[in-house]
Amino acid sequence: MFCPARALLNMTASTFLKGIEGKNIHINIAKMKNTLLLFVLLPFFLIAEEGMYPLSEIHKLNLKAKGFKVTAKDIYNPNGISLVDASVNVGGCSASFISAEGLIITNHHCVFGAVQQASTVQNDYVTNGFIAQSREQEIPAKGLTARIIDSYRDVSAEVLAGISDTTDPVERTKIIEKNSKTLVAAAEKLQNGVSANVAEMFAGKTYVLFINRTIKDIRLVYVPPRSVGEFGGEDDNWVWPRHTGDFSFIRAYVGPDGNPAEYSVSNKPFTPKNHFVVNPNGVDENDLVFILGYPGRTYRHQTSYYLEFERDIRLPFVQKRNAWMIAQMEAAGKNDPAVALALTARIKSLANVEKNYRGKMKGLANLPIVQNKQKEEEALTAFINASPERAKKYGDVLAGIRSVYDELRSDAQRANVLTNIIGSSSLLSIGNTLIKLAEERQKPDAERGSPYMEKNLNALKVSFLASLRSLNLGIDKLFLSEILNDAVKLPPDQTIGSASSVKDPQKFVDSLFAKTKLSDAGFIEQVFTMTPEQLKEANDPLIEFARALSPEIEMQNVLNRKRNGELNRLSGKLVDVKQEWKKTEFIPDANSTLRMTYGHIRGYQPADATYYSPITTLKGVIEKTSDRPEYNTPQKIRELAAKKDYGRYKHKKLNDVPVAILYDMDTTGGNSGSPVLNAKGELIGVNFDRTFEATINDFAWDESYSRSIAVDIRYVLWNVEKVGEAGFLLKEMGIK
Ligand code: GLU
């Protein structure tokens, strides 16, 4: 399932801006005192390090000295079975196999869309939760797939073949795209049933080809009620102390021959190469923990120009727009439960980004992150200029990057409209994709864009039908009118022909929607067989509006490709000169590939005179419980808590069931659902969030504020055993 929350979080105005991550620890002066104190009090191996290590780097770490009880080979062994084989990517989230019969644990928020799709007002699994009492009762998790890594290799030379320092920037982007596509097609042809992707590790420098297997039949097994899985709602999102039971169980199924297959009753549970041991005893403060997961994107080694663009333009724009859209959707659903249910996943994903961006904006305003970066760039410039040879080779790098950002600033308002107008309305974006589909279907299959290849057409249809199911026409119209209002207000030298000339956006949108057939699934089905000419003859007003917008959107795309190509060239050189300067290798920024990070269960000081300890308990759930839907703890949990019925899950010192744990590992979006493992590699929690102060760590990591949050395995198991009474799942996980 497409995880909208994550996808949005990982999107930038220029998704083409890729970053590199350094190993240098940014010391935040305001918090330096705490950091120094930590250095004094803790043995050196208890000090956390920045780093989302690719599998290829793990063997360089001295794990034993850091307190690990497993070796690098136990974690990753391409020639045998290792912990990595128990790790899986579910719809953009991380997840873990925890039984030999394909049982997977991930976050409630990662399966939320699928639960919403399986729900009706009468059978509302979102509100009430869902427990399959037998395999037969497990229901399809529509849209969710599970991706497992088969193998990977460095393909930098192949991806960059045909490129030189003087290649035209647009051409450069095209060559990289084309070479990557060829590699993917060749790998997929070579091995039946695999899917491949090329991941950019360092922009313009290093690329890795991943060969994956994708399991298509995923079913819901155990989903707690929303009042547990999303306890605290938006109020508590990105916040510590936290009391959210953000976990769910799903199961992977394959065809009778063991190969991935579409849903069928004759499918059987998948047997993974390996699965994690679940340790019901959990961990304690200061214990070593590590994570294997798929962090989405970080921007640690981007320049100060990038950070300023984020601070001044992109973050405030998206934050404001999301806040407005949320308010409109909440108003639309206020007196209509069916509308509220249909809009709930979208509101949740927009709100998630909105608050994350507020956190980042606060961080950029209060911490000297941009200033530190500027100082680093000054020193780097001095290093470059100190040698005529270096000056010749690298003298244009920072100035070149700066001029790309100057360009981005100059037309940012217009670019924002062009980037967002199609996506503002679900129907308009279906219409736009249908135009492309008709055109692409004229080409041989291998030459089509990936979504339009025969093997992917069904998935495309399914995604359209899912959009129609959650479509709210009033909202769809409102959002399109609003962006047209922005288009109308663009400065005279930045207008967009087909959009800025609209006289009355609302009337115009009403007229488009009055005649379009795009909300009719039957019509969409027909379009899947139409030629471009037939589609034109159908003369659907929304499709035709999308068509009218396309030349300027395409021009913007060409401009983006040019800027991207230029940044790609310069970023590669930036890494080279920085490595020469710092005499060290860098760890690449997160890019949705499998990474390991480690750290310790640890509290922090978010503000003056405030200290947060790192383990919350059931007591806190009850303290927060109220009549507000977000805090309306199920009666059964209240009763069990009142009786202190903790079973085996009691934390001795805290004398209560631990609910959430806090640690100083290096995580980001996409790490949602990651297994949190103890020193022996046993699963003791499921990562699901960061603190408000930590949202800035996508730009700069610091031990003093970087904290991530997991649901403690003891709360998960206590829920399964005592609340859901699903002891059979504990048995399947091998817990006696
Ligand atoms: N809660 C986060 C999200 O929904 C995921 C983890 C993170 O970003 O730290 O995107």
Side-chain angles (χ1 to χ4, degrees):
M1 169 81 190
F2 168 66
C3 185
R6 272 215 345 81
L8 275 166
L9 267 183
N10 293 330
M11 199 169 74
T12 65
S14 31
T15 23
F16 49 94
L17 306 178
K18 305 279 166 65
I20 49 169
E21 174 191 327
K23 283 281 296 144
N24 32 342
I25 297 186
H26 308 261
I27 301 288
N28 158 13
I29 304 296
K31 303 267 171 103
M32 183 120 94
K33 227 165 123 191
N34 290 333
T35 314
L36 287 179
L37 201 66
L38 275 175
F39 273 82
V40 175
L41 294 180
L42 297 169
F44 81 96
F45 59 85
L46 279 185
I47 292 171
E49 280 177 79
E50 173 178 14
M52 298 173 174
Y53 297 93
L55 302 182
S56 56
E57 304 302 302
I58 299 175
H59 71 276
K60 296 183 190 157
L61 298 166
N62 188 347
L63 297 182
K64 201 168 170 197
K66 296 177 198 305
F68 280 77
K69 301 276 184 284
V70 286
T71 63
K73 212 165 162 197
D74 295 330
I75 297 175
Y76 173 58
N77 179 2
N79 305 315
I81 292 176
S82 59
L83 290 176
V84 159
D85 297 311
S87 134
V88 54
N89 184 301
V90 176
C93 279
S94 306
S96 315
F97 284 114
I98 46 167
S99 90
E101 290 179 282
L103 189 65
I104 292 173
I105 190 166
T106 186
N107 289 148
H108 177 266
H109 80 261
C110 296
V111 305
F112 188 83
V115 180
Q116 184 194 355
Q117 284 203 53
S119 296
T120 57
V121 173
Q122 292 76 29
N123 250 341
D124 184 353
Y125 302 136
V126 170
T127 307
N128 307 320
F130 170 80
I131 304 175
Q133 298 295 338
S134 65
R135 299 278 155 90
E136 290 69 40
Q137 285 183 12
E138 296 177 356
I139 48 175
K142 283 209 188 100
L144 280 187
T145 56
R147 204 181 73 211
I148 307 161
I149 298 177
D150 235 34
S151 63
Y152 68 90
R153 69 183 169 91
D154 189 293
V155 287
S156 310
E158 285 122 299
V159 170
L160 296 171
I163 292 177
S164 75
D165 203 35
T166 54
T167 308
D168 167 72
V170 179
E171 209 30 46
R172 188 183 176 94
T173 310
K174 272 197 198 152
I175 296 175
I176 291 178
E177 278 170 14
K178 191 166 158 266
N179 287 347
S180 304
K181 228 172 133 184
T182 309
L183 280 163
V184 165
E188 291 183 352
K189 207 169 154 197
L190 198 71
Q191 234 179 310
N192 217 356
V194 303
S195 66
N197 69 292
V198 171
E200 182 176 68
M201 308 305 274
F202 289 112
K205 204 170 147 59
T206 31
Y207 296 81
V208 173
L209 176 75
F210 283 86
I211 314 280
N212 315 297
R213 245 165 236 285
T214 301
I215 302 181
K216 297 177 211 156
D217 182 358
I218 304 296
R219 304 190 194 169
L220 300 177
V221 175
Y222 185 113
V223 179
R226 191 174 192 176
S227 54
V228 172
E230 204 189 326
F231 182 78
E234 260 325 296
D235 278 5
D236 278 15
N237 194 15
W238 303 110
V239 160
W240 184 262
R242 193 65 161 274
H243 299 87
T244 313
D246 195 347
F247 71 90
S248 284
F249 295 90
I250 52 181
R251 192 184 303 280
Y253 281 80
V254 284
D257 61 356
N259 286 322
E262 298 292 342
Y263 171 83
S264 156
V265 275
S266 58
N267 285 353
K268 54 176 197 188
F270 170 67
T271 309
K273 254 205 226 168
N274 196 6
H275 64 269
F276 289 110
V277 170
V278 175
N279 185 333
N281 303 321
V283 277
D284 213 342
E285 186 161 1
N286 286 325
D287 281 358
L288 173 94
V289 275
F290 69 104
I291 275 181
L292 288 169
Y294 293 83
R297 281 240 162 267
T298 49
Y299 310 89
R300 308 268 171 82
H301 254 225
Q302 287 286 356
T303 58
S304 61
Y305 318 118
Y306 165 86
L307 290 176
E308 286 172 324
F309 185 81
E310 288 286 294
R311 181 192 65 194
D312 304 340
I313 296 182
R314 201 185 71 83
L315 294 175
F317 170 82
V318 177
Q319 185 270 328
K320 211 169 128 218
R321 191 186 54 170
N322 284 13
W324 178 83
M325 294 204 287
I326 293 161
Q328 306 309 313
M329 288 195 281
E330 278 175 353
K334 204 163 178 203
N335 299 314
D336 189 334
V339 169
L341 185 63
L343 294 175
T344 184
R346 195 158 171 210
I347 294 180
K348 194 168 141 75
S349 85
L350 289 175
N352 191 43
V353 175
E354 191 275 335
K355 196 165 180 186
N356 175 291
Y357 281 18
R358 250 190 296 137
K360 286 189 165 76
M361 284 155 68
K362 184 177 163 209
L364 283 172
N366 294 345
L367 301 169
I369 289 172
V370 175
Q371 293 84 330
N372 287 347
K373 191 66 81 171
Q374 285 165 338
K375 272 186 218 143
E376 188 187 52
E377 285 160 6
E378 270 168 37
L380 177 64
T381 305
F383 172 75
I384 292 172
N385 292 338
S387 129
E389 204 185 308
R390 268 201 303 268
K392 192 160 165 252
K393 205 163 160 198
Y394 300 115
D396 69 331
V397 172
L398 284 170
I401 293 177
R402 181 192 188 137
S403 94
V404 175
Y405 280 99
D406 285 346
E407 263 189 49
L408 279 166
R409 278 172 179 268
S410 71
D411 62 6
Q413 273 174 285
R414 183 174 193 274
N416 276 337
V417 173
L418 284 171
T419 313
N420 294 298
I421 190 161
I422 297 287
S424 70
S425 145
S426 303
L427 287 192
L428 185 63
S429 87
I430 292 178
N432 188 55
T433 313
L434 289 176
I435 299 174
K436 287 218 182 75
L437 171 70
E439 285 161 4
E440 293 280 309
R441 279 188 53 250
Q442 303 300 301
K443 300 182 191 164
D445 201 43
E447 285 168 30
R448 297 181 195 171
S450 161
Y452 310 103
M453 291 171 135
E454 288 300 325
K455 63 172 186 183
N456 295 328
L457 288 185
N458 196 43
L460 190 63
K461 213 179 275 177
V462 168
S463 77
F464 287 159
L465 298 182
S467 289
L468 288 191
R469 268 197 300 277
S470 52
L471 177 72
N472 180 291
L473 274 178
I475 287 293
D476 220 45
K477 284 158 72 171
L478 185 64
F479 288 1
L480 180 56
S481 306
E482 181 65 10
I483 198 155
L484 282 172
N485 279 327
D486 288 346
V488 169
K489 282 185 252 156
L490 286 172
D493 61 334
Q494 286 196 33
T495 51
I496 299 164
S498 43
S500 306
S501 56
V502 169
K503 292 275 168 304
D504 180 338
Q506 200 184 326
K507 251 201 198 144
F508 174 73
V509 171
D510 280 344
S511 73
L512 295 180
F513 276 71
K515 296 202 199 81
T516 185
K517 291 206 216 96
L518 282 174
S519 54
D520 172 359
F523 175 68
I524 292 183
E525 188 89 28
Q526 276 174 25
V527 176
F528 267 74
T529 59
M530 284 185 189
T531 62
E533 293 72 32
Q534 287 167 327
L535 187 61
K536 239 184 209 158
E537 275 160 29
N539 201 19
D540 187 281
L542 261 181
I543 295 183
E544 292 315 307
F545 183 53
R547 201 189 299 282
L549 287 167
S550 69
E552 276 162 301
I553 293 178
E554 189 42 38
M555 266 161 65
Q556 185 66 39
N557 288 343
V558 171
L559 207 57
N560 287 350
R561 259 181 244 134
K562 177 180 148 271
R563 291 167 179 171
N564 180 30
E566 187 59 1
L567 284 176
N568 183 287
R569 176 181 79 86
L570 295 165
S571 303
K573 287 174 84 172
L574 185 63
V575 178
D576 286 340
V577 68
K578 272 189 151 178
Q579 278 177 349
E580 212 177 304
W581 180 37
K582 301 228 159 156
K583 298 199 172 43
T584 175
E585 279 180 29
F586 298 129
I587 295 296
D589 249 334
N591 60 353
S592 296
T593 56
L594 189 58
R595 303 292 180 96
M596 192 209 53
T597 177
Y598 65 89
H600 300 88
I601 304 291
R602 176 152 304 153
Y604 81 124
Q605 208 174 342
D608 188 33
T610 313
Y611 176 75
Y612 283 154
S613 57
I615 305 179
T616 61
T617 61
L618 199 48
K619 177 167 172 259
V621 175
I622 301 303
E623 278 171 3
K624 283 183 180 171
T625 296
S626 76
D627 289 342
R628 286 182 56 198
E630 301 89 322
Y631 294 100
N632 200 351
T633 302
Q635 193 53 35
K636 188 138 181 212
I637 292 192
R638 300 185 202 199
E639 284 164 18
L640 288 164
K643 282 194 285 182
K644 297 195 188 314
D645 186 351
Y646 305 144
R648 67 180 294 177
Y649 307 109
K650 190 170 89 174
H651 184 289
K652 290 221 173 61
K653 267 184 271 160
L654 299 170
N655 195 23
D656 202 340
V657 179
V659 171
I661 44 178
L662 188 72
Y663 36 82
D664 56 10
M665 282 190 269
D666 189 359
T667 72
T668 186
N671 272 124
S672 282
S674 300
V676 181
L677 306 164
N678 65 13
K680 290 190 198 152
E682 297 162 338
L683 192 141
I684 51 80
V686 185
N687 183 78
F688 69 91
D689 209 8
R690 275 169 292 163
T691 62
F692 196 61
E693 291 72 28
T695 53
I696 191 69
N697 79 357
D698 290 345
F699 298 145
W701 186 93
D702 190 307
E703 212 285 330
S704 68
Y705 58 71
S706 290
R707 289 293 181 281
S708 311
I709 305 171
V711 53
D712 192 299
I713 198 66
R714 288 163 284 198
Y715 191 51
V716 175
L717 300 176
W718 181 80
N719 263 279
V720 172
E721 183 183 327
K722 302 273 177 182
V723 187
E725 295 179 20
F728 54 92
L729 283 181
L730 300 186
K731 207 167 147 214
E732 186 178 344
M733 286 180 250
I735 294 164
K736 293 188 192 84

